[in-house]
Amino acid sequence: MNITVTLKIAKRLLESNGEAVSGQQLADEFGISRTAIWKHIKELEEKGYDIESVKRKGYRIVTTPDTLEPLGIQTGLKTKRIGQKIEYVESCASTQIIAHQLAQEGAPDGTVVLTETQTAGRGRMARKWDSAAKKGVWMSIILRPNVAPQKAPQFTLVTAVAIVRAIEEVTKLQPKIKWPNDILLNGKKCTGILTELQSDADGIQALIIGIGLNVNQEKEDFDPEVQEIATSLKMASGETVNRQKLVQSVLFYMELYTQMYIDEGFGMLKILWESYSTTIGHPVRARMANHTLEGIAEGITDEGVLQLRTPDGKLHGIYSADIEMANSTS
Ligand code: BT5
């Protein structure tokens, strides 16, 4: 059985917008017999596709399997660059490692790495990222923007806005952003972002934007260490979320907002970011490598730096920290 033909048939059926396509038509288009088409349809059913066979009308895909394979993501994807090339592996140590490797080998701008589970998913400062199998979106996006290295940190903020917009589009939830790289639902973390850089004397060679998005986990799917601080879209909404649609939406907003940032700067995006922020205007505690500061988070600069005013009236620029709300446990 030629698996490429099987997948092409799936793509053809998915692109018919819910209309049945007859076995004869498929046979003509693919230059094979109707029996061969029927065998490919059986193969797809074994892969988890639910296919309706309508008498005299033909075949129609009712549901696709719950995987992040490129076929399902790319059919109906509304982007021009991001996700046109997808590297999918069922399991890996970390999508960041694969993306770094691909970027070094010259992978084009917009290449996406997707996996179902990570054995060594990582956060900032080599922290562990819990990546339950088939329950989340574990992905890295390679971007090659023509911008100066000091413009890299804002990509984390732009990514946060893109993810919030995608979650809003696919669910009824209203997530909040905690500076710099967390997305929260009901005060618990549902998404973490990790932006890494490959640069040389000529500037940025590649940005590797890692996104860990908890989608369909139940509380017990999380490692015990994070069960109290983590949440998923399903836990917050009570509904199972289609991961393919979510990825398509994230990629769409990533393309829209990263392009907006590159072309027009951070101005408009900063306003959007602030509207989603749970940090700005609140008393916070900023834990940095060697010290901690407490004060009111007054805003962010055009460079994405958090402005924190301490009780002595001084304004501090915070480039990187872990933020806690000073009067709560989140
Ligand atoms: C982050 O770091 O939040 C960035 C996470 C990025 C993960 C993605 S997944 C795809 C790509 N491949 C990778 O290997 N990584 C990226 P940070 O702000 O340092 O937060 C890490 C902390 O979040 C941990 O120390 C835990 O406390 C908590 N944590 C770990 N797993 C979690 C999860 N699934 N949900 C919520 N919180 C989690």
Side-chain angles (χ1 to χ4, degrees), residues 142-190:
I142 300 172
L143 295 182
R144 296 188 182 277
N146 190 10
V147 297
Q150 58 270 29
K151 295 214 158 160
Q154 290 96 318
F155 276 92
T156 298
L157 310 184
V158 172
T159 300
V161 173
I163 295 169
V164 168
R165 297 286 288 136
I167 294 174
E168 280 183 339
E169 182 176 84
V170 176
T171 71
K172 294 187 193 74
L173 297 164
Q174 295 195 308
K176 290 278 174 198
I177 303 171
K178 191 175 90 168
W179 186 90
N181 68 325
D182 289 358
I183 296 174
L184 308 182
L185 285 164
N186 306 321
K188 294 189 174 187
K189 181 160 170 173
C190 73

Side-chain angles (χ1 to χ4, degrees), residues 239-250:
E239 282 171 18
T240 302
V241 174
N242 183 313
R243 292 184 304 150
Q244 292 176 353
K245 284 212 173 82
L246 188 64
V247 171
Q248 288 174 340
S249 185
V250 169

Side-chain angles (χ1 to χ4, degrees), residues 92-97 113 115 118 120-132 137-141 180-183 188-196 208-214 217 221-223 225-227 229-232 321-322:
C92 64
S94 157
T95 55
Q96 291 294 97
I97 297 174
V113 182
T115 193
Q118 302 183 115
R122 62 183 192 225
R124 294 176 301 161
M125 293 165 280
R127 291 176 187 142
K128 190 173 164 222
W129 184 259
D130 178 18
S131 320
V137 171
W138 322 125
M139 120 171 126
S140 300
I141 302 174
N181 68 325
D182 289 358
I183 296 174
K188 294 189 174 187
K189 181 160 170 173
C190 73
T191 304
I193 302 161
L194 176 67
T195 304
E196 294 176 326
I208 315 288
I209 304 183
I211 297 172
L213 210 168
N214 301 326
Q217 291 102 324
D221 292 320
F222 287 102
D223 284 344
E225 306 94 88
V226 297
Q227 277 187 5
I229 56 164
T231 191
S232 71
D322 282 311

Side-chain angles (χ1 to χ4, degrees), residues 1-14 26 29-30 32 36-37 39-41 43-44 47 49 69-72 74-75:
M1 174 92 27
N2 184 334
I3 193 70
T4 321
V5 175
T6 312
L7 294 177
K8 280 188 178 155
I9 291 173
K11 190 164 193 303
R12 170 73 178 86
L13 291 177
L14 283 169
L26 290 172
E29 283 179 23
F30 286 89
I32 52 179
I37 292 289
K39 284 187 186 152
H40 285 294
I41 296 287
E43 179 71 21
L44 284 172
K47 278 172 122 331
Y49 285 79
E69 284 174 76
L71 175 72
Q74 284 174 332
T75 309

